[in-house]
């Protein structure tokens, strides 16, 4: 599922967190919500995986998409 699709399925507080903390490692609860709306599947178009510190991260393209959304471009 692409980010434009799952974005709408996330609770508003998770979307707000992603906008406010764009580019940061994912909060564990936000990570779990993203995976839940995607049925546990990840897509290399938006899921960068786990960092060396064990924190989940989104891809640069997903970070750009969220920034565009925050700026009203999506």
């Amino acid at each position: 599922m692409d980010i434009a699709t799952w974005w709408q399925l996330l609770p508003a507080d998770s979307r707000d967190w992603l906008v406010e903390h764009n580019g940061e490692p994912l909060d564990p609860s936000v990570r779990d919500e993203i995976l839940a709306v995607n049925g546990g599947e990840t897509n290399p178009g938006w899921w960068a995986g786990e960092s060396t510190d064990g924190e989940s991260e989104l891809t640069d393209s997903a970070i750009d998409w969220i920034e565009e959304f925050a700026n009203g471009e999506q």
Side-chain angles (χ1 to χ4, degrees):
M1 184 180 311
D2 67 30
I3 189 170
T5 302
W6 62 254
W7 182 263
Q8 299 303 318
L9 301 174
L10 285 177
D13 58 334
S14 293
R15 291 191 308 262
D16 291 344
W17 188 93
L18 286 164
V19 168
E20 292 171 16
H21 301 275
N22 196 21
E24 296 178 17
L26 297 175
D27 178 90
S29 65
V30 173
R31 174 195 178 276
D32 291 346
E33 289 173 347
I34 292 171
L35 293 176
V37 300
N38 282 286
E41 294 183 28
T42 57
N43 177 317
W46 53 263
W47 187 260
E50 304 295 320
S51 69
T52 55
D53 297 337
E55 297 176 315
S56 299
E57 298 179 344
L58 298 176
T59 63
D60 289 341
S61 62
I63 292 167
D64 292 345
W65 189 95
I66 293 168
E67 182 177 352
E68 290 171 6
F69 175 86
N71 292 331
E73 300 169 21
Q74 288 293 334

